[in-house]
Amino acid sequence: MTHEDFMRRAIALSREHMEAGHGGPFGAVVVKDGVIVGEGWNAVTSANDPTAHAEVMAIRAACRRLATHDLSGAVIYTSCEPCPMCLAAIYWARLDGVYYANSRADAAAIGFADSHLYDEIATPLEKRSLRMVCLMGEEALKVFDGWTAKPDKKTY
């Protein structure tokens, strides 16, 4: 299959699940070694889950199928440029690349604007629109100390 074939699948998922009322018009596939190992579509409204974006759902499916949290060697094809949350998930999953169709400007034009999120990430904590309060840091650091000393931890 070609890059275009994989992107067509992501676009088809976006249309199919949008028309079925599962959520917004977004679809994604994770591909490893030329094979689709995970598919996802936006299910925010149908699952009542604000994290159920197409890319996150495709990553979850790929990780389940491959029984790993590390998708190194795989890429994702998504019908739209990933939002900040999805982009972070892509980095955490260690995907090797992103192919996208619509841009974030295209998404903003139909009411899916992420510019506020991009701006907030670059804003110092004390100036963000979301109140951020550090509480009980010393107590929580004891758990981190336990993690550091844990001989059988699985690092990621």
Side-chain angles (χ1 to χ4, degrees), residues 95-122:
L95 288 161
D96 288 357
V98 177
Y99 296 86
Y100 66 93
N102 293 319
S103 71
R104 70 170 108 159
D106 296 328
I110 63 164
F112 293 92
D114 298 326
S115 59
H116 173 72
L117 295 173
Y118 284 103
D119 293 343
E120 283 285 295
I121 290 168

mmCIF file with all atom_site columns, all heavy atoms in Angstrom, residues 95-122:
data_model
loop_
_atom_site.group_PDB
_atom_site.id
_atom_site.type_symbol
_atom_site.label_atom_id
_atom_site.label_alt_id
_atom_site.label_comp_id
_atom_site.label_asym_id
_atom_site.label_entity_id
_atom_site.label_seq_id
_atom_site.pdbx_PDB_ins_code
_atom_site.Cartn_x
_atom_site.Cartn_y
_atom_site.Cartn_z
_atom_site.occupancy
_atom_site.B_iso_or_equiv
_atom_site.pdbx_formal_charge
_atom_site.auth_seq_id
_atom_site.auth_comp_id
_atom_site.auth_asym_id
_atom_site.auth_atom_id
_atom_site.pdbx_PDB_model_num
ATOM 1   N N   . LEU A 1 95  ? 6.138   7.365  17.901 1.00 0.00 ? 95  LEU A N   1
ATOM 2   C CA  . LEU A 1 95  ? 5.924   7.168  16.468 1.00 0.00 ? 95  LEU A CA  1
ATOM 3   C C   . LEU A 1 95  ? 7.024   7.879  15.691 1.00 0.00 ? 95  LEU A C   1
ATOM 4   O O   . LEU A 1 95  ? 7.539   8.917  16.122 1.00 0.00 ? 95  LEU A O   1
ATOM 5   C CB  . LEU A 1 95  ? 4.543   7.699  16.070 1.00 0.00 ? 95  LEU A CB  1
ATOM 6   C CG  . LEU A 1 95  ? 3.380   6.839  16.572 1.00 0.00 ? 95  LEU A CG  1
ATOM 7   C CD1 . LEU A 1 95  ? 2.092   7.619  16.558 1.00 0.00 ? 95  LEU A CD1 1
ATOM 8   C CD2 . LEU A 1 95  ? 3.262   5.586  15.744 1.00 0.00 ? 95  LEU A CD2 1
ATOM 9   N N   . ASP A 1 96  ? 7.362   7.337  14.544 1.00 0.00 ? 96  ASP A N   1
ATOM 10  C CA  . ASP A 1 96  ? 8.458   7.894  13.747 1.00 0.00 ? 96  ASP A CA  1
ATOM 11  C C   . ASP A 1 96  ? 8.045   9.054  12.849 1.00 0.00 ? 96  ASP A C   1
ATOM 12  O O   . ASP A 1 96  ? 8.912   9.766  12.351 1.00 0.00 ? 96  ASP A O   1
ATOM 13  C CB  . ASP A 1 96  ? 9.081   6.801  12.872 1.00 0.00 ? 96  ASP A CB  1
ATOM 14  C CG  . ASP A 1 96  ? 9.894   5.798  13.678 1.00 0.00 ? 96  ASP A CG  1
ATOM 15  O OD1 . ASP A 1 96  ? 10.035  5.956  14.901 1.00 0.00 ? 96  ASP A OD1 1
ATOM 16  O OD2 . ASP A 1 96  ? 10.374  4.823  13.058 1.00 0.00 ? 96  ASP A OD2 1
ATOM 17  N N   . GLY A 1 97  ? 6.750   9.220  12.608 1.00 0.00 ? 97  GLY A N   1
ATOM 18  C CA  . GLY A 1 97  ? 6.334   10.296 11.713 1.00 0.00 ? 97  GLY A CA  1
ATOM 19  C C   . GLY A 1 97  ? 4.827   10.462 11.686 1.00 0.00 ? 97  GLY A C   1
ATOM 20  O O   . GLY A 1 97  ? 4.081   9.586  12.131 1.00 0.00 ? 97  GLY A O   1
ATOM 21  N N   . VAL A 1 98  ? 4.417   11.608 11.156 1.00 0.00 ? 98  VAL A N   1
ATOM 22  C CA  . VAL A 1 98  ? 3.008   11.966 11.036 1.00 0.00 ? 98  VAL A CA  1
ATOM 23  C C   . VAL A 1 98  ? 2.745   12.411 9.606  1.00 0.00 ? 98  VAL A C   1
ATOM 24  O O   . VAL A 1 98  ? 3.455   13.275 9.082  1.00 0.00 ? 98  VAL A O   1
ATOM 25  C CB  . VAL A 1 98  ? 2.635   13.133 11.983 1.00 0.00 ? 98  VAL A CB  1
ATOM 26  C CG1 . VAL A 1 98  ? 1.185   13.548 11.806 1.00 0.00 ? 98  VAL A CG1 1
ATOM 27  C CG2 . VAL A 1 98  ? 2.945   12.792 13.429 1.00 0.00 ? 98  VAL A CG2 1
ATOM 28  N N   . TYR A 1 99  ? 1.734   11.829 8.992  1.00 0.00 ? 99  TYR A N   1
ATOM 29  C CA  . TYR A 1 99  ? 1.235   12.279 7.697  1.00 0.00 ? 99  TYR A CA  1
ATOM 30  C C   . TYR A 1 99  ? -0.173  12.808 7.962  1.00 0.00 ? 99  TYR A C   1
ATOM 31  O O   . TYR A 1 99  ? -0.976  12.112 8.588  1.00 0.00 ? 99  TYR A O   1
ATOM 32  C CB  . TYR A 1 99  ? 1.183   11.126 6.689  1.00 0.00 ? 99  TYR A CB  1
ATOM 33  C CG  . TYR A 1 99  ? 2.531   10.551 6.353  1.00 0.00 ? 99  TYR A CG  1
ATOM 34  C CD1 . TYR A 1 99  ? 3.108   9.546  7.138  1.00 0.00 ? 99  TYR A CD1 1
ATOM 35  C CD2 . TYR A 1 99  ? 3.238   11.008 5.247  1.00 0.00 ? 99  TYR A CD2 1
ATOM 36  C CE1 . TYR A 1 99  ? 4.351   9.021  6.830  1.00 0.00 ? 99  TYR A CE1 1
ATOM 37  C CE2 . TYR A 1 99  ? 4.488   10.481 4.928  1.00 0.00 ? 99  TYR A CE2 1
ATOM 38  C CZ  . TYR A 1 99  ? 5.026   9.494  5.725  1.00 0.00 ? 99  TYR A CZ  1
ATOM 39  O OH  . TYR A 1 99  ? 6.258   8.976  5.412  1.00 0.00 ? 99  TYR A OH  1
ATOM 40  N N   . TYR A 1 100 ? -0.454  14.042 7.534  1.00 0.00 ? 100 TYR A N   1
ATOM 41  C CA  . TYR A 1 100 ? -1.774  14.603 7.786  1.00 0.00 ? 100 TYR A CA  1
ATOM 42  C C   . TYR A 1 100 ? -2.341  15.224 6.527  1.00 0.00 ? 100 TYR A C   1
ATOM 43  O O   . TYR A 1 100 ? -1.610  15.606 5.627  1.00 0.00 ? 100 TYR A O   1
ATOM 44  C CB  . TYR A 1 100 ? -1.732  15.624 8.934  1.00 0.00 ? 100 TYR A CB  1
ATOM 45  C CG  . TYR A 1 100 ? -0.935  16.860 8.646  1.00 0.00 ? 100 TYR A CG  1
ATOM 46  C CD1 . TYR A 1 100 ? -1.552  18.002 8.140  1.00 0.00 ? 100 TYR A CD1 1
ATOM 47  C CD2 . TYR A 1 100 ? 0.432   16.903 8.885  1.00 0.00 ? 100 TYR A CD2 1
ATOM 48  C CE1 . TYR A 1 100 ? -0.816  19.158 7.878  1.00 0.00 ? 100 TYR A CE1 1
ATOM 49  C CE2 . TYR A 1 100 ? 1.168   18.040 8.629  1.00 0.00 ? 100 TYR A CE2 1
ATOM 50  C CZ  . TYR A 1 100 ? 0.536   19.169 8.123  1.00 0.00 ? 100 TYR A CZ  1
ATOM 51  O OH  . TYR A 1 100 ? 1.268   20.300 7.861  1.00 0.00 ? 100 TYR A OH  1
ATOM 52  N N   . ALA A 1 101 ? -3.667  15.313 6.470  1.00 0.00 ? 101 ALA A N   1
ATOM 53  C CA  . ALA A 1 101 ? -4.357  15.870 5.306  1.00 0.00 ? 101 ALA A CA  1
ATOM 54  C C   . ALA A 1 101 ? -4.750  17.317 5.583  1.00 0.00 ? 101 ALA A C   1
ATOM 55  O O   . ALA A 1 101 ? -4.053  18.238 5.163  1.00 0.00 ? 101 ALA A O   1
ATOM 56  C CB  . ALA A 1 101 ? -5.566  15.013 4.948  1.00 0.00 ? 101 ALA A CB  1
ATOM 57  N N   . ASN A 1 102 ? -5.847  17.544 6.292  1.00 0.00 ? 102 ASN A N   1
ATOM 58  C CA  . ASN A 1 102 ? -6.265  18.917 6.598  1.00 0.00 ? 102 ASN A CA  1
ATOM 59  C C   . ASN A 1 102 ? -5.313  19.558 7.597  1.00 0.00 ? 102 ASN A C   1
ATOM 60  O O   . ASN A 1 102 ? -4.725  18.870 8.431  1.00 0.00 ? 102 ASN A O   1
ATOM 61  C CB  . ASN A 1 102 ? -7.683  18.919 7.191  1.00 0.00 ? 102 ASN A CB  1
ATOM 62  C CG  . ASN A 1 102 ? -8.729  18.478 6.188  1.00 0.00 ? 102 ASN A CG  1
ATOM 63  O OD1 . ASN A 1 102 ? -8.680  18.861 5.033  1.00 0.00 ? 102 ASN A OD1 1
ATOM 64  N ND2 . ASN A 1 102 ? -9.664  17.668 6.641  1.00 0.00 ? 102 ASN A ND2 1
ATOM 65  N N   . SER A 1 103 ? -5.191  20.882 7.528  1.00 0.00 ? 103 SER A N   1
ATOM 66  C CA  . SER A 1 103 ? -4.325  21.617 8.449  1.00 0.00 ? 103 SER A CA  1
ATOM 67  C C   . SER A 1 103 ? -5.119  22.091 9.661  1.00 0.00 ? 103 SER A C   1
ATOM 68  O O   . SER A 1 103 ? -6.352  22.059 9.670  1.00 0.00 ? 103 SER A O   1
ATOM 69  C CB  . SER A 1 103 ? -3.722  22.829 7.744  1.00 0.00 ? 103 SER A CB  1
ATOM 70  O OG  . SER A 1 103 ? -4.734  23.803 7.516  1.00 0.00 ? 103 SER A OG  1
ATOM 71  N N   . ARG A 1 104 ? -4.415  22.577 10.669 1.00 0.00 ? 104 ARG A N   1
ATOM 72  C CA  . ARG A 1 104 ? -5.108  23.128 11.836 1.00 0.00 ? 104 ARG A CA  1
ATOM 73  C C   . ARG A 1 104 ? -5.919  24.352 11.458 1.00 0.00 ? 104 ARG A C   1
ATOM 74  O O   . ARG A 1 104 ? -6.961  24.615 12.053 1.00 0.00 ? 104 ARG A O   1
ATOM 75  C CB  . ARG A 1 104 ? -4.157  23.396 12.982 1.00 0.00 ? 104 ARG A CB  1
ATOM 76  C CG  . ARG A 1 104 ? -3.182  24.536 12.777 1.00 0.00 ? 104 ARG A CG  1
ATOM 77  C CD  . ARG A 1 104 ? -2.445  24.879 14.054 1.00 0.00 ? 104 ARG A CD  1
ATOM 78  N NE  . ARG A 1 104 ? -1.075  24.460 14.004 1.00 0.00 ? 104 ARG A NE  1
ATOM 79  C CZ  . ARG A 1 104 ? -0.127  24.972 14.767 1.00 0.00 ? 104 ARG A CZ  1
ATOM 80  N NH1 . ARG A 1 104 ? -0.408  25.873 15.657 1.00 0.00 ? 104 ARG A NH1 1
ATOM 81  N NH2 . ARG A 1 104 ? 1.104   24.563 14.644 1.00 0.00 ? 104 ARG A NH2 1
ATOM 82  N N   . ALA A 1 105 ? -5.491  25.084 10.426 1.00 0.00 ? 105 ALA A N   1
ATOM 83  C CA  . ALA A 1 105 ? -6.265  26.231 9.940  1.00 0.00 ? 105 ALA A CA  1
ATOM 84  C C   . ALA A 1 105 ? -7.572  25.756 9.307  1.00 0.00 ? 105 ALA A C   1
ATOM 85  O O   . ALA A 1 105 ? -8.623  26.379 9.490  1.00 0.00 ? 105 ALA A O   1
ATOM 86  C CB  . ALA A 1 105 ? -5.449  27.047 8.939  1.00 0.00 ? 105 ALA A CB  1
ATOM 87  N N   . ASP A 1 106 ? -7.512  24.641 8.581  1.00 0.00 ? 106 ASP A N   1
ATOM 88  C CA  . ASP A 1 106 ? -8.726  24.062 8.000  1.00 0.00 ? 106 ASP A CA  1
ATOM 89  C C   . ASP A 1 106 ? -9.700  23.663 9.117  1.00 0.00 ? 106 ASP A C   1
ATOM 90  O O   . ASP A 1 106 ? -10.909 23.890 9.016  1.00 0.00 ? 106 ASP A O   1
ATOM 91  C CB  . ASP A 1 106 ? -8.406  22.822 7.159  1.00 0.00 ? 106 ASP A CB  1
ATOM 92  C CG  . ASP A 1 106 ? -7.545  23.129 5.935  1.00 0.00 ? 106 ASP A CG  1
ATOM 93  O OD1 . ASP A 1 106 ? -7.672  24.234 5.373  1.00 0.00 ? 106 ASP A OD1 1
ATOM 94  O OD2 . ASP A 1 106 ? -6.747  22.251 5.552  1.00 0.00 ? 106 ASP A OD2 1
ATOM 95  N N   . ALA A 1 107 ? -9.163  23.065 10.186 1.00 0.00 ? 107 ALA A N   1
ATOM 96  C CA  . ALA A 1 107 ? -10.012 22.649 11.309 1.00 0.00 ? 107 ALA A CA  1
ATOM 97  C C   . ALA A 1 107 ? -10.616 23.865 12.010 1.00 0.00 ? 107 ALA A C   1
ATOM 98  O O   . ALA A 1 107 ? -11.795 23.857 12.368 1.00 0.00 ? 107 ALA A O   1
ATOM 99  C CB  . ALA A 1 107 ? -9.206  21.804 12.293 1.00 0.00 ? 107 ALA A CB  1
ATOM 100 N N   . ALA A 1 108 ? -9.821  24.895 12.183 1.00 0.00 ? 108 ALA A N   1
ATOM 101 C CA  . ALA A 1 108 ? -10.323 26.108 12.834 1.00 0.00 ? 108 ALA A CA  1
ATOM 102 C C   . ALA A 1 108 ? -11.457 26.729 12.028 1.00 0.00 ? 108 ALA A C   1
ATOM 103 O O   . ALA A 1 108 ? -12.423 27.252 12.596 1.00 0.00 ? 108 ALA A O   1
ATOM 104 C CB  . ALA A 1 108 ? -9.192  27.108 13.025 1.00 0.00 ? 108 ALA A CB  1
ATOM 105 N N   . ALA A 1 109 ? -11.369 26.634 10.713 1.00 0.00 ? 109 ALA A N   1
ATOM 106 C CA  . ALA A 1 109 ? -12.385 27.220 9.841  1.00 0.00 ? 109 ALA A CA  1
ATOM 107 C C   . ALA A 1 109 ? -13.749 26.556 10.003 1.00 0.00 ? 109 ALA A C   1
ATOM 108 O O   . ALA A 1 109 ? -14.773 27.157 9.667  1.00 0.00 ? 109 ALA A O   1
ATOM 109 C CB  . ALA A 1 109 ? -11.937 27.148 8.381  1.00 0.00 ? 109 ALA A CB  1
ATOM 110 N N   . ILE A 1 110 ? -13.784 25.323 10.541 1.00 0.00 ? 110 ILE A N   1
ATOM 111 C CA  . ILE A 1 110 ? -15.074 24.658 10.762 1.00 0.00 ? 110 ILE A CA  1
ATOM 112 C C   . ILE A 1 110 ? -15.395 24.530 12.253 1.00 0.00 ? 110 ILE A C   1
ATOM 113 O O   . ILE A 1 110 ? -16.241 23.731 12.659 1.00 0.00 ? 110 ILE A O   1
ATOM 114 C CB  . ILE A 1 110 ? -15.151 23.284 10.058 1.00 0.00 ? 110 ILE A CB  1
ATOM 115 C CG1 . ILE A 1 110 ? -14.117 22.304 10.602 1.00 0.00 ? 110 ILE A CG1 1
ATOM 116 C CG2 . ILE A 1 110 ? -15.024 23.441 8.555  1.00 0.00 ? 110 ILE A CG2 1
ATOM 117 C CD1 . ILE A 1 110 ? -14.385 20.848 10.236 1.00 0.00 ? 110 ILE A CD1 1
ATOM 118 N N   . GLY A 1 111 ? -14.689 25.298 13.084 1.00 0.00 ? 111 GLY A N   1
ATOM 119 C CA  . GLY A 1 111 ? -15.025 25.364 14.501 1.00 0.00 ? 111 GLY A CA  1
ATOM 120 C C   . GLY A 1 111 ? -14.167 24.543 15.437 1.00 0.00 ? 111 GLY A C   1
ATOM 121 O O   . GLY A 1 111 ? -14.467 24.448 16.625 1.00 0.00 ? 111 GLY A O   1
ATOM 122 N N   . PHE A 1 112 ? -13.097 23.932 14.944 1.00 0.00 ? 112 PHE A N   1
ATOM 123 C CA  . PHE A 1 112 ? -12.190 23.147 15.788 1.00 0.00 ? 112 PHE A CA  1
ATOM 124 C C   . PHE A 1 112 ? -10.872 23.895 15.936 1.00 0.00 ? 112 PHE A C   1
ATOM 125 O O   . PHE A 1 112 ? -9.870  23.532 15.336 1.00 0.00 ? 112 PHE A O   1
ATOM 126 C CB  . PHE A 1 112 ? -11.962 21.752 15.193 1.00 0.00 ? 112 PHE A CB  1
ATOM 127 C CG  . PHE A 1 112 ? -13.174 20.879 15.188 1.00 0.00 ? 112 PHE A CG  1
ATOM 128 C CD1 . PHE A 1 112 ? -14.018 20.844 14.083 1.00 0.00 ? 112 PHE A CD1 1
ATOM 129 C CD2 . PHE A 1 112 ? -13.487 20.100 16.289 1.00 0.00 ? 112 PHE A CD2 1
ATOM 130 C CE1 . PHE A 1 112 ? -15.147 20.035 14.065 1.00 0.00 ? 112 PHE A CE1 1
ATOM 131 C CE2 . PHE A 1 112 ? -14.618 19.287 16.286 1.00 0.00 ? 112 PHE A CE2 1
ATOM 132 C CZ  . PHE A 1 112 ? -15.456 19.259 15.167 1.00 0.00 ? 112 PHE A CZ  1
ATOM 133 N N   . ALA A 1 113 ? -10.886 24.963 16.722 1.00 0.00 ? 113 ALA A N   1
ATOM 134 C CA  . ALA A 1 113 ? -9.711  25.820 16.875 1.00 0.00 ? 113 ALA A CA  1
ATOM 135 C C   . ALA A 1 113 ? -8.870  25.370 18.066 1.00 0.00 ? 113 ALA A C   1
ATOM 136 O O   . ALA A 1 113 ? -9.380  25.230 19.171 1.00 0.00 ? 113 ALA A O   1
ATOM 137 C CB  . ALA A 1 113 ? -10.133 27.273 17.036 1.00 0.00 ? 113 ALA A CB  1
ATOM 138 N N   . ASP A 1 114 ? -7.588  25.153 17.834 1.00 0.00 ? 114 ASP A N   1
ATOM 139 C CA  . ASP A 1 114 ? -6.660  24.735 18.879 1.00 0.00 ? 114 ASP A CA  1
ATOM 140 C C   . ASP A 1 114 ? -5.687  25.835 19.275 1.00 0.00 ? 114 ASP A C   1
ATOM 141 O O   . ASP A 1 114 ? -4.821  25.609 20.112 1.00 0.00 ? 114 ASP A O   1
ATOM 142 C CB  . ASP A 1 114 ? -5.841  23.526 18.403 1.00 0.00 ? 114 ASP A CB  1
ATOM 143 C CG  . ASP A 1 114 ? -6.704  22.312 18.108 1.00 0.00 ? 114 ASP A CG  1
ATOM 144 O OD1 . ASP A 1 114 ? -7.714  22.129 18.810 1.00 0.00 ? 114 ASP A OD1 1
ATOM 145 O OD2 . ASP A 1 114 ? -6.353  21.563 17.186 1.00 0.00 ? 114 ASP A OD2 1
ATOM 146 N N   . SER A 1 115 ? -5.820  27.019 18.696 1.00 0.00 ? 115 SER A N   1
ATOM 147 C CA  . SER A 1 115 ? -4.835  28.076 18.941 1.00 0.00 ? 115 SER A CA  1
ATOM 148 C C   . SER A 1 115 ? -4.748  28.430 20.420 1.00 0.00 ? 115 SER A C   1
ATOM 149 O O   . SER A 1 115 ? -3.661  28.698 20.931 1.00 0.00 ? 115 SER A O   1
ATOM 150 C CB  . SER A 1 115 ? -5.149  29.319 18.105 1.00 0.00 ? 115 SER A CB  1
ATOM 151 O OG  . SER A 1 115 ? -6.437  29.813 18.421 1.00 0.00 ? 115 SER A OG  1
ATOM 152 N N   . HIS A 1 116 ? -5.868  28.392 21.136 1.00 0.00 ? 116 HIS A N   1
ATOM 153 C CA  . HIS A 1 116 ? -5.842  28.691 22.571 1.00 0.00 ? 116 HIS A CA  1
ATOM 154 C C   . HIS A 1 116 ? -4.941  27.704 23.305 1.00 0.00 ? 116 HIS A C   1
ATOM 155 O O   . HIS A 1 116 ? -4.172  28.091 24.188 1.00 0.00 ? 116 HIS A O   1
ATOM 156 C CB  . HIS A 1 116 ? -7.263  28.655 23.154 1.00 0.00 ? 116 HIS A CB  1
ATOM 157 C CG  . HIS A 1 116 ? -7.303  28.790 24.640 1.00 0.00 ? 116 HIS A CG  1
ATOM 158 N ND1 . HIS A 1 116 ? -7.029  29.968 25.284 1.00 0.00 ? 116 HIS A ND1 1
ATOM 159 C CD2 . HIS A 1 116 ? -7.571  27.884 25.609 1.00 0.00 ? 116 HIS A CD2 1
ATOM 160 C CE1 . HIS A 1 116 ? -7.123  29.786 26.590 1.00 0.00 ? 116 HIS A CE1 1
ATOM 161 N NE2 . HIS A 1 116 ? -7.454  28.531 26.815 1.00 0.00 ? 116 HIS A NE2 1
ATOM 162 N N   . LEU A 1 117 ? -5.006  26.422 22.930 1.00 0.00 ? 117 LEU A N   1
ATOM 163 C CA  . LEU A 1 117 ? -4.174  25.420 23.586 1.00 0.00 ? 117 LEU A CA  1
ATOM 164 C C   . LEU A 1 117 ? -2.695  25.637 23.290 1.00 0.00 ? 117 LEU A C   1
ATOM 165 O O   . LEU A 1 117 ? -1.856  25.542 24.185 1.00 0.00 ? 117 LEU A O   1
ATOM 166 C CB  . LEU A 1 117 ? -4.593  24.021 23.146 1.00 0.00 ? 117 LEU A CB  1
ATOM 167 C CG  . LEU A 1 117 ? -5.999  23.596 23.556 1.00 0.00 ? 117 LEU A CG  1
ATOM 168 C CD1 . LEU A 1 117 ? -6.346  22.269 22.925 1.00 0.00 ? 117 LEU A CD1 1
ATOM 169 C CD2 . LEU A 1 117 ? -6.135  23.541 25.055 1.00 0.00 ? 117 LEU A CD2 1
ATOM 170 N N   . TYR A 1 118 ? -2.384  25.915 22.032 1.00 0.00 ? 118 TYR A N   1
ATOM 171 C CA  . TYR A 1 118 ? -0.990  26.192 21.680 1.00 0.00 ? 118 TYR A CA  1
ATOM 172 C C   . TYR A 1 118 ? -0.471  27.393 22.466 1.00 0.00 ? 118 TYR A C   1
ATOM 173 O O   . TYR A 1 118 ? 0.652   27.375 22.972 1.00 0.00 ? 118 TYR A O   1
ATOM 174 C CB  . TYR A 1 118 ? -0.849  26.454 20.174 1.00 0.00 ? 118 TYR A CB  1
ATOM 175 C CG  . TYR A 1 118 ? -0.917  25.214 19.318 1.00 0.00 ? 118 TYR A CG  1
ATOM 176 C CD1 . TYR A 1 118 ? -2.068  24.898 18.605 1.00 0.00 ? 118 TYR A CD1 1
ATOM 177 C CD2 . TYR A 1 118 ? 0.174   24.352 19.214 1.00 0.00 ? 118 TYR A CD2 1
ATOM 178 C CE1 . TYR A 1 118 ? -2.128  23.763 17.806 1.00 0.00 ? 118 TYR A CE1 1
ATOM 179 C CE2 . TYR A 1 118 ? 0.120   23.213 18.427 1.00 0.00 ? 118 TYR A CE2 1
ATOM 180 C CZ  . TYR A 1 118 ? -1.034  22.934 17.726 1.00 0.00 ? 118 TYR A CZ  1
ATOM 181 O OH  . TYR A 1 118 ? -1.076  21.799 16.955 1.00 0.00 ? 118 TYR A OH  1
ATOM 182 N N   . ASP A 1 119 ? -1.302  28.435 22.595 1.00 0.00 ? 119 ASP A N   1
ATOM 183 C CA  . ASP A 1 119 ? -0.906  29.632 23.339 1.00 0.00 ? 119 ASP A CA  1
ATOM 184 C C   . ASP A 1 119 ? -0.712  29.326 24.816 1.00 0.00 ? 119 ASP A C   1
ATOM 185 O O   . ASP A 1 119 ? 0.245   29.793 25.438 1.00 0.00 ? 119 ASP A O   1
ATOM 186 C CB  . ASP A 1 119 ? -1.946  30.746 23.176 1.00 0.00 ? 119 ASP A CB  1
ATOM 187 C CG  . ASP A 1 119 ? -2.029  31.281 21.755 1.00 0.00 ? 119 ASP A CG  1
ATOM 188 O OD1 . ASP A 1 119 ? -1.082  31.042 20.964 1.00 0.00 ? 119 ASP A OD1 1
ATOM 189 O OD2 . ASP A 1 119 ? -3.036  31.930 21.433 1.00 0.00 ? 119 ASP A OD2 1
ATOM 190 N N   . GLU A 1 120 ? -1.622  28.558 25.395 1.00 0.00 ? 120 GLU A N   1
ATOM 191 C CA  . GLU A 1 120 ? -1.551  28.245 26.823 1.00 0.00 ? 120 GLU A CA  1
ATOM 192 C C   . GLU A 1 120 ? -0.283  27.470 27.174 1.00 0.00 ? 120 GLU A C   1
ATOM 193 O O   . GLU A 1 120 ? 0.328   27.703 28.212 1.00 0.00 ? 120 GLU A O   1
ATOM 194 C CB  . GLU A 1 120 ? -2.774  27.439 27.254 1.00 0.00 ? 120 GLU A CB  1
ATOM 195 C CG  . GLU A 1 120 ? -4.017  28.273 27.420 1.00 0.00 ? 120 GLU A CG  1
ATOM 196 C CD  . GLU A 1 120 ? -4.004  29.107 28.688 1.00 0.00 ? 120 GLU A CD  1
ATOM 197 O OE1 . GLU A 1 120 ? -4.012  28.554 29.798 1.00 0.00 ? 120 GLU A OE1 1
ATOM 198 O OE2 . GLU A 1 120 ? -3.984  30.344 28.546 1.00 0.00 ? 120 GLU A OE2 1
ATOM 199 N N   . ILE A 1 121 ? 0.114   26.541 26.320 1.00 0.00 ? 121 ILE A N   1
ATOM 200 C CA  . ILE A 1 121 ? 1.307   25.738 26.583 1.00 0.00 ? 121 ILE A CA  1
ATOM 201 C C   . ILE A 1 121 ? 2.535   26.628 26.724 1.00 0.00 ? 121 ILE A C   1
ATOM 202 O O   . ILE A 1 121 ? 3.407   26.379 27.554 1.00 0.00 ? 121 ILE A O   1
ATOM 203 C CB  . ILE A 1 121 ? 1.503   24.672 25.480 1.00 0.00 ? 121 ILE A CB  1
ATOM 204 C CG1 . ILE A 1 121 ? 0.417   23.605 25.610 1.00 0.00 ? 121 ILE A CG1 1
ATOM 205 C CG2 . ILE A 1 121 ? 2.893   24.044 25.549 1.00 0.00 ? 121 ILE A CG2 1
ATOM 206 C CD1 . ILE A 1 121 ? 0.317   22.674 24.423 1.00 0.00 ? 121 ILE A CD1 1
ATOM 207 N N   . ALA A 1 122 ? 2.590   27.684 25.933 1.00 0.00 ? 122 ALA A N   1
ATOM 208 C CA  . ALA A 1 122 ? 3.741   28.592 25.956 1.00 0.00 ? 122 ALA A CA  1
ATOM 209 C C   . ALA A 1 122 ? 3.643   29.645 27.055 1.00 0.00 ? 122 ALA A C   1
ATOM 210 O O   . ALA A 1 122 ? 4.594   30.391 27.273 1.00 0.00 ? 122 ALA A O   1
ATOM 211 C CB  . ALA A 1 122 ? 3.867   29.276 24.592 1.00 0.00 ? 122 ALA A CB  1
#
